[in-house]
Amino acid sequence: MPSVQIKNVPEETHRVLRRRAAAAHQSLQEYLRAQLIEQAKQRSLDDVLADAAAQSGGSATFADTVALVRSDRDRR
């Protein structure tokens, strides 16, 4: 399994992370590993936008879309 090493972490950051790990009853390594795994599961905005751009679909013009939104708002 690959390893990651992070150097030059500010003292205060290290202190906060150690405190959070202790509160979670984990070693700092276990805590950070879990945090990294969760972070990697989250889709980035770039991923979402790339997926949206790749999809083909409707052909509504901007003007038609604006008119529909205005019409919907006027009904409220």
Side-chain angles (χ1 to χ4, degrees):
M1 186 174 287
S3 294
V4 174
Q5 182 178 26
I6 302 172
K7 297 179 180 184
N8 301 318
V9 176
E11 287 290 330
E12 180 60 20
T13 301
H14 186 259
R15 195 172 8 264
V16 168
L17 292 172
R18 285 183 58 105
R19 195 175 319 127
R20 289 180 185 171
H25 305 288
Q26 295 177 315
S27 68
L28 182 56
Q29 180 178 332
E30 291 169 324
Y31 178 79
L32 292 174
R33 181 178 180 274
Q35 294 296 310
L36 288 171
I37 290 169
E38 284 304 310
Q39 178 66 30
K41 288 180 184 178
Q42 301 297 318
R43 295 183 66 208
S44 71
L45 179 58
D46 288 339
D47 292 340
V48 172
L49 293 175
D51 288 350
Q55 294 184 11
S56 60
S59 58
T61 65
F62 181 74
D64 290 342
T65 304
V66 169
L68 285 171
V69 170
R70 284 192 177 136
S71 173
D72 184 57
R73 287 181 181 164
D74 291 344
R75 281 185 275 162
R76 294 180 187 179

Coordinates of all heavy atoms in Angstrom, one line a residue:
M1 N 0.8 -1.2 0.0 CA 0.0 0.0 0.0 C 0.9 1.2 0.0 O 1.9 1.3 0.7 CB -0.9 0.0 1.3 CG -1.9 1.1 1.3 SD -3.1 1.0 2.7 CE -4.1 -0.4 2.1
P2 N 0.6 2.2 -0.8 CA 1.4 3.4 -0.9 C 1.4 4.2 0.4 O 0.4 4.1 1.2 CB 0.7 4.3 -2.0 CG -0.2 3.4 -2.7 CD -0.5 2.3 -1.8
S3 N 2.4 5.1 0.6 CA 2.5 5.9 1.8 C 2.5 7.4 1.3 O 2.9 7.7 0.2 CB 3.8 5.6 2.5 OG 3.7 4.3 3.1
V4 N 2.1 8.2 2.3 CA 2.2 9.7 2.0 C 2.9 10.3 3.2 O 2.6 9.9 4.4 CB 0.8 10.3 1.9 CG1 0.8 11.8 1.9 CG2 0.0 9.7 0.8
Q5 N 3.8 11.2 3.0 CA 4.5 11.9 4.0 C 4.3 13.4 3.8 O 4.5 13.9 2.7 CB 6.0 11.5 4.0 CG 6.7 12.2 5.2 CD 8.2 11.8 5.2 OE1 8.8 11.5 4.1 NE2 8.8 11.8 6.3
I6 N 3.9 14.1 4.8 CA 3.7 15.5 4.7 C 4.7 16.2 5.7 O 4.7 15.9 6.9 CB 2.3 15.9 5.1 CG1 1.3 15.2 4.2 CG2 2.1 17.4 5.0 CD1 -0.2 15.3 4.6
K7 N 5.5 17.1 5.1 CA 6.5 17.8 5.9 C 6.1 19.2 6.1 O 5.3 19.8 5.4 CB 7.9 17.8 5.1 CG 8.4 16.4 4.9 CD 9.7 16.4 4.2 CE 10.2 15.0 4.0 NZ 11.6 15.0 3.4
N8 N 6.7 19.8 7.1 CA 6.6 21.3 7.4 C 5.1 21.6 7.7 O 4.6 22.7 7.3 CB 7.1 22.1 6.2 CG 8.5 21.9 5.9 OD1 9.3 21.8 6.8 ND2 8.8 21.8 4.7
V9 N 4.5 20.8 8.5 CA 3.1 21.1 9.0 C 3.3 22.1 10.1 O 4.1 21.9 11.1 CB 2.4 19.8 9.5 CG1 1.1 20.2 10.1 CG2 2.3 18.8 8.4
P10 N 2.5 23.2 10.1 CA 2.6 24.2 11.2 C 2.3 23.5 12.6 O 1.5 22.7 12.7 CB 1.6 25.2 10.8 CG 1.4 25.1 9.4 CD 1.6 23.6 9.1
E11 N 3.0 24.0 13.6 CA 2.8 23.4 15.0 C 1.4 23.5 15.4 O 0.9 22.5 15.9 CB 3.7 24.2 16.0 CG 5.2 23.9 15.9 CD 5.5 22.5 16.3 OE1 4.9 22.0 17.2 OE2 6.5 22.0 15.8
E12 N 0.7 24.6 15.2 CA -0.7 24.7 15.6 C -1.6 23.7 14.9 O -2.5 23.1 15.5 CB -1.2 26.1 15.5 CG -2.6 26.3 15.9 CD -2.9 26.0 17.4 OE1 -2.0 26.0 18.2 OE2 -4.1 25.7 17.7
T13 N -1.3 23.5 13.6 CA -2.1 22.6 12.8 C -1.9 21.1 13.4 O -2.8 20.4 13.6 CB -1.7 22.6 11.3 OG1 -1.9 23.9 10.9 CG2 -2.4 21.6 10.5
H14 N -0.6 20.8 13.6 CA -0.3 19.5 14.2 C -1.0 19.3 15.5 O -1.6 18.2 15.8 CB 1.2 19.4 14.3 CG 1.7 18.0 14.7 ND1 2.1 17.7 16.0 CD2 1.8 16.9 14.0 CE1 2.4 16.5 16.1 NE2 2.3 15.9 14.9
R15 N -1.0 20.3 16.4 CA -1.6 20.2 17.7 C -3.1 20.0 17.6 O -3.6 19.1 18.3 CB -1.3 21.5 18.4 CG -1.5 21.5 19.9 CD -1.1 22.7 20.7 NE -0.6 23.9 19.9 CZ 0.7 24.2 19.7 NH1 1.6 23.4 20.1 NH2 1.0 25.3 19.0
V16 N -3.7 20.7 16.7 CA -5.2 20.6 16.5 C -5.5 19.2 16.0 O -6.4 18.5 16.5 CB -5.7 21.6 15.5 CG1 -7.1 21.3 15.1 CG2 -5.7 23.0 16.2
L17 N -4.8 18.7 15.0 CA -5.0 17.3 14.5 C -4.8 16.3 15.5 O -5.5 15.3 15.6 CB -4.2 17.1 13.2 CG -4.5 18.0 12.0 CD1 -3.5 17.9 10.9 CD2 -5.9 17.7 11.5
R18 N -3.7 16.4 16.3 CA -3.5 15.4 17.4 C -4.6 15.4 18.4 O -5.1 14.3 18.8 CB -2.2 15.7 18.1 CG -0.9 15.3 17.2 CD 0.3 15.6 18.0 NE 0.3 14.8 19.2 CZ 1.1 13.7 19.5 NH1 1.8 13.3 18.5 NH2 1.0 13.1 20.6
R19 N -5.1 16.6 18.7 CA -6.2 16.7 19.6 C -7.5 16.0 19.1 O -8.2 15.3 19.8 CB -6.5 18.2 20.0 CG -7.4 18.4 21.2 CD -7.5 19.9 21.5 NE -6.3 20.7 21.4 CZ -6.2 21.8 20.7 NH1 -7.2 22.3 20.1 NH2 -5.0 22.4 20.6
R20 N -7.8 16.3 17.8 CA -8.9 15.6 17.2 C -8.8 14.1 17.1 O -9.8 13.4 17.3 CB -9.1 16.2 15.8 CG -9.6 17.6 15.8 CD -9.8 18.2 14.4 NE -10.1 19.6 14.4 CZ -10.2 20.4 13.4 NH1 -9.9 19.9 12.2 NH2 -10.5 21.6 13.5
A21 N -7.6 13.7 16.8 CA -7.4 12.2 16.7 C -7.6 11.6 18.1 O -8.2 10.5 18.2 CB -5.9 11.9 16.3
A22 N -7.1 12.3 19.2 CA -7.3 11.7 20.5 C -8.7 11.7 20.9 O -9.2 10.7 21.5 CB -6.5 12.6 21.5
A23 N -9.5 12.7 20.5 CA -10.9 12.8 20.8 C -11.7 11.7 20.1 O -12.7 11.2 20.5 CB -11.5 14.1 20.4
A24 N -11.1 11.2 18.9 CA -11.7 10.1 18.2 C -11.2 8.8 18.6 O -11.5 7.8 18.0 CB -11.5 10.4 16.7
H25 N -10.3 8.8 19.6 CA -9.7 7.5 20.1 C -8.9 6.9 19.0 O -9.0 5.6 18.9 CB -10.7 6.6 20.7 CG -11.6 7.2 21.8 ND1 -11.0 7.5 23.0 CD2 -12.8 7.7 21.8 CE1 -12.0 8.1 23.8 NE2 -13.1 8.2 23.1
Q26 N -8.2 7.7 18.2 CA -7.4 7.2 17.2 C -6.0 7.7 17.3 O -5.8 8.8 17.8 CB -7.9 7.6 15.8 CG -9.3 6.9 15.5 CD -9.8 7.5 14.2 OE1 -9.8 8.6 13.9 NE2 -10.4 6.6 13.4
S27 N -5.0 7.0 16.7 CA -3.7 7.6 16.5 C -3.8 8.7 15.5 O -4.8 8.8 14.7 CB -2.7 6.6 16.1 OG -2.9 6.2 14.7
L28 N -2.8 9.6 15.4 CA -2.8 10.6 14.4 C -2.8 10.0 13.0 O -3.5 10.5 12.1 CB -1.6 11.6 14.6 CG -1.5 12.7 13.6 CD1 -2.7 13.6 13.7 CD2 -0.2 13.5 13.9
Q29 N -2.0 9.0 12.8 CA -2.0 8.3 11.5 C -3.4 7.7 11.1 O -3.8 7.9 10.0 CB -1.0 7.2 11.5 CG -0.9 6.4 10.2 CD 0.2 5.4 10.2 OE1 1.2 5.5 10.9 NE2 0.0 4.4 9.3
E30 N -4.0 7.1 12.1 CA -5.4 6.5 11.8 C -6.4 7.6 11.4 O -7.2 7.5 10.5 CB -5.9 5.7 13.0 CG -5.2 4.4 13.3 CD -5.5 3.8 14.6 OE1 -5.8 4.6 15.6 OE2 -5.6 2.6 14.7
Y31 N -6.3 8.7 12.2 CA -7.2 9.8 12.0 C -7.0 10.4 10.7 O -8.0 10.6 9.9 CB -7.0 10.8 13.1 CG -7.9 12.0 13.0 CD1 -9.2 12.0 13.4 CD2 -7.4 13.2 12.5 CE1 -10.0 13.1 13.2 CE2 -8.2 14.3 12.3 CZ -9.5 14.3 12.7 OH -10.3 15.4 12.6
L32 N -5.8 10.7 10.3 CA -5.5 11.4 9.0 C -5.8 10.4 7.9 O -6.3 10.9 6.8 CB -4.0 11.8 9.0 CG -3.7 13.0 9.9 CD1 -2.2 13.3 9.9 CD2 -4.5 14.2 9.6
R33 N -5.5 9.2 8.0 CA -5.9 8.2 7.0 C -7.4 8.2 6.7 O -7.8 8.3 5.6 CB -5.4 6.8 7.4 CG -5.7 5.7 6.3 CD -5.1 4.4 6.8 NE -5.4 3.4 5.8 CZ -6.5 2.7 5.7 NH1 -7.5 2.9 6.6 NH2 -6.7 1.8 4.8
A34 N -8.2 8.2 7.8 CA -9.6 8.2 7.6 C -10.1 9.5 7.0 O -11.0 9.5 6.1 CB -10.3 8.0 9.0
Q35 N -9.5 10.6 7.3 CA -9.8 11.9 6.8 C -9.5 11.9 5.3 O -10.3 12.4 4.5 CB -9.1 13.0 7.5 CG -9.5 13.2 8.9 CD -11.0 13.7 9.0 OE1 -11.4 14.6 8.4 NE2 -11.7 13.0 9.9
L36 N -8.4 11.4 4.9 CA -8.0 11.4 3.5 C -8.9 10.5 2.7 O -9.3 10.8 1.5 CB -6.5 10.9 3.3 CG -5.5 11.9 3.8 CD1 -4.1 11.2 3.8 CD2 -5.5 13.1 2.9
I37 N -9.3 9.4 3.2 CA -10.2 8.4 2.5 C -11.5 9.1 2.3 O -12.1 9.1 1.2 CB -10.3 7.1 3.3 CG1 -9.0 6.3 3.2 CG2 -11.5 6.3 2.7 CD1 -9.0 5.1 4.1
E38 N -12.1 9.8 3.3 CA -13.3 10.5 3.1 C -13.2 11.6 2.1 O -14.1 11.8 1.3 CB -13.8 11.0 4.5 CG -14.4 10.0 5.4 CD -15.5 9.2 4.7 OE1 -16.5 9.9 4.2 OE2 -15.5 8.0 4.8
Q39 N -12.1 12.4 2.2 CA -11.9 13.5 1.2 C -11.9 12.9 -0.2 O -12.4 13.6 -1.1 CB -10.6 14.2 1.6 CG -10.3 15.3 0.6 CD -11.2 16.5 0.7 OE1 -11.8 16.7 1.7 NE2 -11.4 17.2 -0.4
A40 N -11.2 11.8 -0.4 CA -11.1 11.3 -1.8 C -12.4 10.8 -2.3 O -12.6 10.7 -3.5 CB -10.1 10.1 -1.8
K41 N -13.4 10.4 -1.4 CA -14.7 10.0 -1.8 C -15.6 11.1 -2.3 O -16.5 10.9 -3.1 CB -15.4 9.3 -0.7 CG -14.9 7.9 -0.3 CD -15.6 7.4 0.9 CE -15.1 6.1 1.4 NZ -15.8 5.5 2.5
Q42 N -15.3 12.3 -1.9 CA -16.1 13.5 -2.3 C -15.7 13.9 -3.7 O -14.6 14.0 -4.1 CB -15.8 14.7 -1.4 CG -16.1 14.4 0.1 CD -17.6 14.1 0.3 OE1 -18.5 14.7 -0.2 NE2 -17.8 13.1 1.1
R43 N -16.7 14.1 -4.5 CA -16.5 14.5 -5.9 C -16.1 16.0 -5.9 O -16.8 16.8 -5.2 CB -17.7 14.3 -6.8 CG -18.0 12.8 -6.9 CD -19.2 12.5 -7.8 NE -18.8 13.0 -9.1 CZ -19.7 13.4 -10.0 NH1 -21.0 13.4 -9.7 NH2 -19.3 13.8 -11.2
S44 N -15.2 16.4 -6.7 CA -14.8 17.8 -6.7 C -15.8 18.5 -7.6 O -16.5 17.9 -8.5 CB -13.4 18.0 -7.3 OG -13.3 17.6 -8.6
L45 N -15.8 19.8 -7.5 CA -16.6 20.7 -8.4 C -16.2 20.4 -9.9 O -17.1 20.4 -10.7 CB -16.5 22.1 -8.0 CG -17.3 23.1 -8.9 CD1 -18.8 22.8 -8.9 CD2 -17.1 24.5 -8.4
D46 N -14.9 20.3 -10.1 CA -14.4 20.1 -11.5 C -15.0 18.7 -12.0 O -15.4 18.7 -13.2 CB -12.9 20.0 -11.5 CG -12.3 21.4 -11.4 OD1 -13.0 22.4 -11.6 OD2 -11.1 21.5 -11.0
D47 N -15.1 17.7 -11.2 CA -15.6 16.4 -11.6 C -17.1 16.6 -12.0 O -17.6 16.1 -13.0 CB -15.5 15.4 -10.5 CG -14.1 14.9 -10.2 OD1 -13.2 15.1 -11.0 OD2 -13.9 14.4 -9.0
V48 N -17.9 17.3 -11.1 CA -19.3 17.5 -11.4 C -19.5 18.3 -12.7 O -20.3 17.9 -13.5 CB -20.0 18.2 -10.2 CG1 -21.4 18.6 -10.5 CG2 -19.9 17.3 -8.9
L49 N -18.7 19.3 -12.8 CA -18.9 20.2 -14.0 C -18.5 19.4 -15.3 O -19.1 19.6 -16.3 CB -18.1 21.5 -13.9 CG -18.6 22.4 -12.8 CD1 -17.6 23.6 -12.7 CD2 -20.0 22.9 -13.1
A50 N -17.4 18.6 -15.2 CA -17.0 17.8 -16.4 C -18.1 16.8 -16.7 O -18.4 16.6 -17.9 CB -15.7 17.1 -16.1
D51 N -18.7 16.2 -15.8 CA -19.8 15.3 -16.0 C -21.0 16.0 -16.7 O -21.6 15.5 -17.6 CB -20.3 14.6 -14.8 CG -19.3 13.5 -14.3 OD1 -18.4 13.2 -15.0 OD2 -19.5 13.0 -13.1
A52 N -21.3 17.2 -16.2 CA -22.5 17.9 -16.7 C -22.2 18.4 -18.2 O -23.0 18.3 -19.0 CB -22.7 19.1 -15.9
A53 N -20.9 18.7 -18.4 CA -20.6 19.2 -19.8 C -20.6 18.0 -20.8 O -20.9 18.2 -22.0 CB -19.2 19.8 -19.8
A54 N -20.3 16.8 -20.3 CA -20.3 15.7 -21.2 C -21.7 15.2 -21.6 O -21.8 14.4 -22.5 CB -19.5 14.5 -20.5
Q55 N -22.7 15.6 -20.8 CA -24.0 15.1 -21.1 C -24.7 16.0 -22.2 O -24.6 17.2 -22.2 CB -24.9 15.2 -19.9 CG -24.5 14.2 -18.8 CD -25.4 14.3 -17.6 OE1 -26.5 14.8 -17.6 NE2 -25.0 13.6 -16.5
S56 N -25.3 15.3 -23.1 CA -26.1 16.0 -24.1 C -27.5 16.0 -23.7 O -27.9 15.2 -22.9 CB -25.9 15.3 -25.5 OG -26.4 14.0 -25.4
G57 N -28.3 16.9 -24.2 CA -29.6 16.9 -23.7 C -30.4 18.0 -24.4 O -30.4 18.2 -25.6
G58 N -31.1 18.8 -23.6 CA -32.1 19.8 -24.1 C -31.5 20.8 -25.0 O -30.3 21.0 -25.2
S59 N -32.4 21.4 -25.7 CA -32.0 22.4 -26.7 C -32.7 23.8 -26.4 O -32.8 24.6 -27.3 CB -32.3 22.0 -28.1 OG -33.7 21.7 -28.2
A60 N -33.1 24.0 -25.2 CA -33.7 25.3 -24.9 C -32.7 26.4 -25.0 O -31.6 26.3 -24.5 CB -34.3 25.2 -23.5
T61 N -33.2 27.5 -25.5 CA -32.3 28.7 -25.6 C -32.3 29.4 -24.3 O -33.2 29.2 -23.4 CB -32.8 29.6 -26.7 OG1 -34.1 30.2 -26.3 CG2 -32.9 29.0 -28.0
F62 N -31.4 30.3 -24.1 CA -31.3 31.0 -22.9 C -32.5 31.9 -22.7 O -33.1 32.0 -21.6 CB -30.0 31.9 -22.9 CG -29.9 32.7 -21.7 CD1 -29.5 32.2 -20.5 CD2 -30.1 34.1 -21.7 CE1 -29.3 32.9 -19.3 CE2 -30.0 34.9 -20.5 CZ -29.6 34.3 -19.3
A63 N -33.0 32.5 -23.8 CA -34.2 33.4 -23.7 C -35.4 32.6 -23.3 O -36.2 33.0 -22.5 CB -34.4 34.0 -25.1
D64 N -35.6 31.4 -23.9 CA -36.7 30.5 -23.5 C -36.7 30.1 -22.1 O -37.7 30.1 -21.4 CB -36.7 29.2 -24.4 CG -37.1 29.5 -25.8 OD1 -37.7 30.6 -26.1 OD2 -36.8 28.6 -26.7
T65 N -35.5 29.8 -21.6 CA -35.3 29.4 -20.2 C -35.6 30.6 -19.3 O -36.4 30.4 -18.3 CB -33.9 28.9 -19.9 OG1 -33.6 27.9 -20.8 CG2 -33.7 28.5 -18.5
V66 N -35.2 31.8 -19.6 CA -35.5 33.0 -18.8 C -37.0 33.2 -18.8 O -37.6 33.5 -17.7 CB -34.8 34.2 -19.4 CG1 -35.3 35.5 -18.7 CG2 -33.3 34.1 -19.1
A67 N -37.7 33.1 -19.9 CA -39.1 33.2 -20.0 C -39.8 32.2 -19.1 O -40.8 32.6 -18.4 CB -39.6 33.1 -21.5
L68 N -39.4 31.0 -19.1 CA -40.0 30.0 -18.3 C -39.9 30.3 -16.8 O -40.8 30.1 -16.0 CB -39.5 28.6 -18.6 CG -39.9 28.0 -19.9 CD1 -39.1 26.7 -20.2 CD2 -41.4 27.6 -19.8
V69 N -38.7 30.7 -16.4 CA -38.4 31.0 -15.0 C -39.3 32.2 -14.6 O -39.9 32.2 -13.5 CB -36.9 31.3 -14.8 CG1 -36.7 31.9 -13.4 CG2 -36.1 30.1 -15.0
R70 N -39.4 33.2 -15.4 CA -40.2 34.4 -15.1 C -41.7 34.0 -15.0 O -42.4 34.5 -14.1 CB -40.0 35.5 -16.2 CG -38.7 36.2 -16.0 CD -38.6 37.5 -16.9 NE -37.4 38.1 -16.6 CZ -36.6 38.7 -17.5 NH1 -37.0 38.6 -18.8 NH2 -35.5 39.2 -17.2
S71 N -42.1 33.2 -15.9 CA -43.5 32.7 -15.9 C -43.8 32.0 -14.6 O -44.8 32.2 -14.0 CB -43.8 31.8 -17.1 OG -45.0 31.3 -17.0
D72 N -42.9 31.1 -14.2 CA -43.0 30.4 -13.0 C -43.1 31.3 -11.8 O -43.9 31.2 -10.9 CB -41.9 29.4 -12.8 CG -42.1 28.5 -11.6 OD1 -43.2 27.8 -11.5 OD2 -41.2 28.5 -10.7
R73 N -42.2 32.3 -11.7 CA -42.2 33.3 -10.6 C -43.4 34.1 -10.6 O -43.9 34.4 -9.5 CB -41.0 34.2 -10.7 CG -39.7 33.5 -10.4 CD -38.5 34.5 -10.6 NE -37.2 33.8 -10.3 CZ -36.1 34.3 -10.6 NH1 -36.0 35.5 -11.2 NH2 -35.0 33.6 -10.3
D74 N -44.0 34.5 -11.7 CA -45.2 35.3 -11.8 C -46.4 34.5 -11.2 O -47.3 35.2 -10.7 CB -45.5 35.8 -13.2 CG -44.4 36.8 -13.7 OD1 -43.7 37.4 -12.8 OD2 -44.4 37.0 -14.9
R75 N -46.4 33.2 -11.3 CA -47.5 32.4 -10.8 C -47.5 32.3 -9.3 O -48.5 31.9 -8.7 CB -47.5 31.0 -11.4 CG -48.0 31.0 -12.8 CD -48.1 29.6 -13.4 NE -46.7 29.3 -13.9 CZ -46.2 28.1 -14.1 NH1 -46.9 27.1 -13.8 NH2 -45.0 28.0 -14.6
R76 N -46.4 32.7 -8.7 CA -46.4 32.6 -7.2 C -47.0 33.7 -6.5 O -47.1 34.8 -6.8 CB -44.9 32.4 -6.8 CG -44.3 31.1 -7.3 CD -42.9 31.0 -6.8 NE -42.3 29.8 -7.5 CZ -41.1 29.4 -7.3 NH1 -40.3 30.1 -6.6 NH2 -40.6 28.4 -7.9

